[in-house]
Amino acid sequence: MMKIIKKAKNLLIKNKLWMVVIIIITIVAGGFIWKWSLNMLSTNFENHSINVMVNEETTTDGASDLTYWGF
Amino acid sequence: MNKVIDMKKDKTIKHIILASTMVMILLWINTFIHQNSFSEGLETFTYIGHSVLIAAATIFYYWTLSPLFEEDIFENSTRLYTTVTVLCGVVILFLLFLELGTDAISVYGQREIILWAFAIPKRYAFDIWAIVVFPSIISAFFKVMQKEKYTLSAVTAGTSSILFITLCGYMIFMAMPNIWLVNLMILNTISVGLAIHKYYDKRIKKLNAIAAVILYAFVHMGVLPFVCTNAFIYEGDWDYLTSGISVIIKNASFFGISNYLLQSEYVHSFLADNNKPILQILYYGGWISVVAFIILLLIFMYLILKLLGIENRYEHRNWVVFSTAALHFSIRIIMGLLYSFGFPFPIALPFLGINYITDTIAFTLLLIGAWENHKISQFLKIESSFLDAADVFAIQDEYCITNESGTAYTEESYEEDVDIIGKEGTIIHCSTEWYMLKERIFCVFSEKTLETNCQRFILEYVQTKWKALENTESDLEKNVIREYLVEHKPSCMVSDGGRDDEDN
C-alpha cells in the first residue's frame, strides 16, 4: 500500500501530473460555472430580455401570428 | 563567483492565466448577449467551444510552421527580397487578369477571396494579414537591412519592397468597408514603427527613424482616398445609430433595467440583433455593469501589454508580430469603447463581435509570445544562477553524489536525477548534464525545484571522483557555462543573441 502511495506521489509531484489534475478540475468546474451562470442570468431576464420583448410586441400588434423571428 | 541571483519573480504565468480568464469572461458576455438579444438561438458552449478549437489549431500551426522561420531562410539579402517582390508583382498582375477574365477567381474585387469552389471571407483573412503576415515580412526586411548596415542600396530595396507589400494589402482588402482600410493603415504603420524600433541601430539618426514612420503614415493617407468606397467611415444609417445610442444612454438606470428601456419598443427594435455590447449591458445591467465592464476591458488591455515582455524585444524573434497583435487589441478596446458612445470609428470590441474567431487567433499568438518571453527571461537568468560548489557543500577534496537508488553516481547517461547532501545535511535534488572540454569531463548540476530560479553548479568528474574547479580555472568554468547556454538557448531567440548596439 505504501509503495502504491509513494508511486502515486511520485507520479503527481515529480512528473508534475498535479498540473494535469488541476487543469482537468478547472475545465470541469469552469464548464459548470459557465452553464449555471448563463442559465441563472437568462432565467433572471426571462420576462424582459430583448428577444422576449420583441416577440411580445410583434404578437400584441396583431400584425402576424408569427413571432418577430418567425419569417 | 558568488553572484546574487535575480529573485524578481516572473509574473508571466500569472498574467497568462488572468488574461485567459478575462477572455473567458468576454466570451461569456458575448454568449449571454447573443442568447438574449439575438434571434440565432445560440447554444451555451458554442463560442467557448469554437474558441478552444481555434486556439488549439493556432498552437498546432505555430508549432509546425515556426521552425521554418527559425532557420533564417529568409535572411539572405535585400537583392533576394527585391527579386521575390518582383515575382509577387507578376503573380498579382496575373491574378488581376484572371479576375477580369473569369468569374471563378476573385482576389481583389469582392469581400471574399474566390478560388473556384473555395470562398474565403476576407473578414477572416484581414487579421491574419495585418497581424501575422505583414509584420513577419516587415521584420524580415528590416533584419536584412540591418544586416547590410543600412546602406543606400539596402534601404532603397527594402523600402520599395515594404511599399509594395503595403499596396498588396490595400489591393486585397479594398472591397472591404472603409473602416477596415483605416484599421489596416493604423496596424501597418504600427508594424513598421515597431520594426524600426526593434532593428534600429546607431547608423540611423533617431529623427530620420521617426520621420520614416511619419512618412509611411502619410503614404497610407495618400493611398486611402483612392481605395475607400464612399465618403463616410460607417456604411449604415449613422443618424439612426446615434439617436439609438443617445436614447439608451439618457434613459439607462444606475442598476438593472430602467422602466423606460423596458417599455420602449424603439429601444427593443434597436437592440434586437444589434451587436452593441455596451448598449446591451446598459439595457440589462445599468451603468454599474457598464463601469465594471469598462474596468474589465482596461485590465485586459493592461495584461496584454504586460504579456508582450517589452524588456525582451531585442531578443525575441517574432516580437513585432506579437506586439502588433497586442496593439491591435488595445486599439480595438479604446476605439471600440468610444464607438459604443457614438464616436465615428465603427470597430467591434475584442471577443464581442463576429470576429471572435480571428480575435482568438491573435490572442493565442499573444499567449505563445508570452510563453516564449517567459522562456527567454528564464534563459537570461541562467548565467547568474551558477554558484561555486563551495556555496552548496562544505569545502572538500572530493564530493559524494548519489543517484535515486542511493548508490554512488558515476557517468551513466547524459541526463539523470541525483541527490546531493548539502551544507547542513539537507538533501538537494538535482538534474545533471555532462560536458566534455579539453578532454576533461564536467557535469552541470541543476537544482530541481518548483521555483523558477533554480541554482546550478559545476563539478569535474576525475577517475570516479567528483571535484570542484579550482579558482584558477575560471576560464574553463566560463566555457562550460557557455556550452550550457548554447545547449539551452530557446529557439524563439534571435540567432545573434540580441541587438548589435546595446547603447542605442
Side-chain angles (χ1 to χ4, degrees):
Chain A
M1 187 67 185
M2 284 301 284
K3 231 179 184 179
I4 294 167
I5 292 170
K6 203 177 174 186
K7 264 194 177 174
K9 202 176 156 189
N10 264 352
L11 266 175
L12 279 172
I13 296 170
K14 268 200 169 174
N15 298 328
K16 295 191 177 175
L17 265 184
W18 58 273
M19 279 171 122
V20 179
V21 174
I22 286 177
I23 288 168
I24 290 169
I25 290 170
T26 311
I27 289 170
V28 173
F32 272 115
I33 293 168
W34 181 280
K35 195 170 180 179
W36 169 79
S37 55
L38 270 174
N39 283 346
M40 191 261 292
L41 219 61
S42 294
T43 314
N44 191 33
F45 290 111
E46 202 171 28
N47 298 324
H48 36 253
S49 74
I50 296 290
N51 276 347
V52 171
M53 301 309 281
V54 172
N55 278 342
E56 275 179 6
E57 280 150 18
T58 319
T59 317
T60 320
D61 286 348
S64 166
D65 283 341
L66 291 173
T67 61
Y68 185 78
W69 316 118
F71 53 81
Chain B
M1 198 179 71
N2 270 332
K3 287 173 186 168
V4 178
I5 296 175
D6 181 13
M7 292 305 283
K8 192 181 163 192
K9 275 197 172 177
D10 188 359
K11 292 180 181 167
T12 312
I13 306 289
K14 197 191 278 179
H15 289 150
I16 287 176
I17 293 168
L18 278 174
S20 305
T21 312
M22 295 282 175
V23 168
M24 302 273 182
I25 295 171
L26 291 175
L27 285 170
W28 185 92
I29 292 170
N30 202 19
T31 308
F32 172 76
I33 290 171
H34 278 253
Q35 279 188 336
N36 290 282
S37 298
F38 281 68
S39 54
E40 64 201 31
L42 190 79
E43 293 292 326
T44 308
F45 290 110
T46 303
Y47 284 163
I48 188 79
H50 287 174
S51 290
V52 169
L53 280 177
I54 291 157
T58 308
I59 292 168
F60 174 76
Y61 282 115
Y62 188 85
W63 177 58
T64 48
L65 295 176
S66 63
L68 286 177
F69 298 90
E70 282 163 14
E71 301 298 326
D72 294 346
I73 52 170
F74 297 114
E75 290 171 26
N76 291 301
S77 66
T78 45
R79 191 184 291 264
L80 176 81
Y81 278 134
T82 315
T83 314
V84 173
T85 308
V86 170
L87 285 174
C88 285
V90 173
V91 172
I92 276 168
L93 268 179
F94 180 67
L95 285 171
L96 189 64
F97 287 133
L98 278 179
E99 179 156 348
L100 292 172
T102 171
D103 289 336
I105 290 176
S106 170
V107 180
Y108 311 110
Q110 298 180 40
R111 292 188 178 178
E112 288 173 328
I113 296 170
I114 298 167
L115 300 167
W116 295 280
F118 300 102
I120 307 160
K122 284 183 184 173
R123 60 165 62 245
Y124 297 127
F126 179 84
D127 283 7
I128 308 290
W129 174 269
I131 292 170
V132 182
V133 179
F134 186 82
S136 303
I137 295 172
I138 295 299
S139 283
F141 284 156
F142 274 97
K143 193 163 188 181
V144 168
M145 282 196 275
Q146 191 191 41
K147 193 176 142 192
E148 294 183 5
K149 299 176 180 171
Y150 290 108
T151 56
L152 185 64
S153 62
V155 172
T156 312
T159 311
S160 51
S161 301
I162 289 167
L163 289 175
F164 177 77
I165 295 294
T166 306
L167 195 65
C168 282
Y170 275 124
M171 284 181 76
I172 295 168
F173 295 105
M174 68 182 174
M176 300 300 282
N178 294 344
I179 185 62
W180 292 69
L181 299 170
V182 174
N183 204 17
L184 186 70
M185 174 186 89
I186 295 169
L187 289 174
N188 284 2
T189 310
I190 284 172
S191 297
V192 169
L194 290 166
I196 288 177
H197 175 66
K198 183 174 175 181
Y199 296 104
Y200 171 81
D201 69 30
K202 65 181 178 186
R203 284 179 284 264
I204 314 171
K205 286 179 183 166
K206 255 181 194 168
L207 280 175
N208 283 355
I210 296 165
V213 181
I214 294 170
L215 193 64
Y216 181 75
F218 272 108
V219 169
H220 269 285
M221 283 182 217
V223 176
L224 261 185
F226 295 102
V227 286
C228 283
T229 46
N230 50 29
F232 191 50
I233 208 162
Y234 185 69
E235 279 196 327
D237 185 347
W238 183 250
D239 290 335
Y240 174 70
L241 178 74
T242 46
S243 63
I245 291 171
S246 98
V247 167
I248 295 170
I249 285 176
K250 275 179 191 162
N251 296 293
S253 63
F254 181 71
F255 185 83
I257 305 180
S258 77
N259 279 333
Y260 181 88
L261 296 184
L262 198 58
Q263 286 161 8
S264 166
E265 286 188 26
Y266 170 73
V267 169
H268 301 153
S269 67
F270 179 83
L271 286 177
D273 275 346
N274 196 349
N275 194 39
K276 299 282 174 289
I278 291 274
L279 301 180
Q280 299 277 2
I281 293 170
L282 255 182
Y283 173 83
Y284 286 109
W287 280 106
I288 187 88
S289 308
V290 169
V291 170
F293 179 67
I294 291 172
I295 291 169
L296 178 101
L297 282 175
L298 294 177
I299 294 171
F300 179 59
M301 194 168 96
Y302 167 79
L303 285 171
I304 53 177
L305 292 175
K306 288 296 282 182
L307 285 178
L308 258 185
I310 294 168
E311 65 279 5
N312 295 329
R313 60 193 177 279
Y314 302 122
E315 284 83 15
H316 201 161
R317 190 185 292 273
N318 299 318
W319 190 77
V320 177
V321 173
F322 301 128
S323 50
T324 306
L327 289 170
H328 162 72
F329 276 126
S330 306
I331 291 167
R332 292 270 300 276
I333 289 170
I334 294 168
M335 301 316 289
L337 279 175
L338 291 175
Y339 168 57
S340 302
F341 293 104
F343 185 79
F345 196 90
I347 196 165
L349 288 162
F351 297 97
L352 290 161
I354 196 166
N355 275 3
Y356 72 96
I357 291 171
T358 44
D359 288 341
T360 307
I361 296 172
F363 182 70
T364 312
L365 282 175
L366 253 177
L367 292 188
I368 294 169
W371 179 249
E372 289 183 349
N373 266 325
H374 175 68
K375 284 203 286 186
I376 292 171
S377 300
Q378 295 306 308
F379 174 76
L380 295 175
K381 284 176 191 166
I382 284 180
E383 201 169 350
S384 60
S385 71
F386 277 89
L387 303 172
D388 271 345
D391 292 334
V392 185
F393 312 100
I395 299 171
Q396 297 164 28
D397 289 337
E398 60 181 86
Y399 298 91
C400 175
I401 293 166
T402 56
N403 59 22
E404 283 184 316
S405 57
T407 53
Y409 180 60
T410 55
E411 185 181 3
E412 282 175 358
S413 61
Y414 179 70
E415 281 185 38
E416 197 166 349
D417 290 348
V418 293
D419 289 336
I420 297 167
I421 298 168
K423 254 180 182 175
E424 288 145 12
T426 51
I427 294 172
I428 307 165
H429 300 289
C430 289
S431 62
T432 60
E433 279 182 45
W434 295 79
Y435 293 91
M436 194 168 197
L437 281 173
K438 295 177 182 173
E439 296 183 349
R440 291 167 68 179
I441 301 167
F442 301 93
C443 188
V444 175
F445 293 85
S446 309
E447 189 187 2
K448 286 193 94 175
T449 168
L450 291 176
E451 296 292 321
T452 47
N453 294 314
C454 74
Q455 299 180 345
R456 295 174 178 84
F457 59 92
I458 303 164
L459 289 179
E460 189 180 358
Y461 188 66
V462 190
Q463 294 170 345
T464 70
K465 288 174 185 167
W466 291 102
K467 291 189 173 179
L469 293 173
E470 301 291 333
N471 287 337
T472 52
E473 293 179 311
S474 63
D475 283 347
L476 198 60
E477 187 180 13
K478 275 179 191 163
N479 285 338
V480 176
I481 294 173
R482 196 173 300 139
E483 288 280 315
Y484 186 85
L485 290 175
V486 169
E487 200 67 40
H488 287 263
K489 188 173 181 178
S491 57
C492 54
M493 277 182 85
V494 288
S495 48
D496 55 4
R499 203 176 191 182
D500 286 349
D501 182 21
E502 293 293 336
D503 298 325
N504 285 294

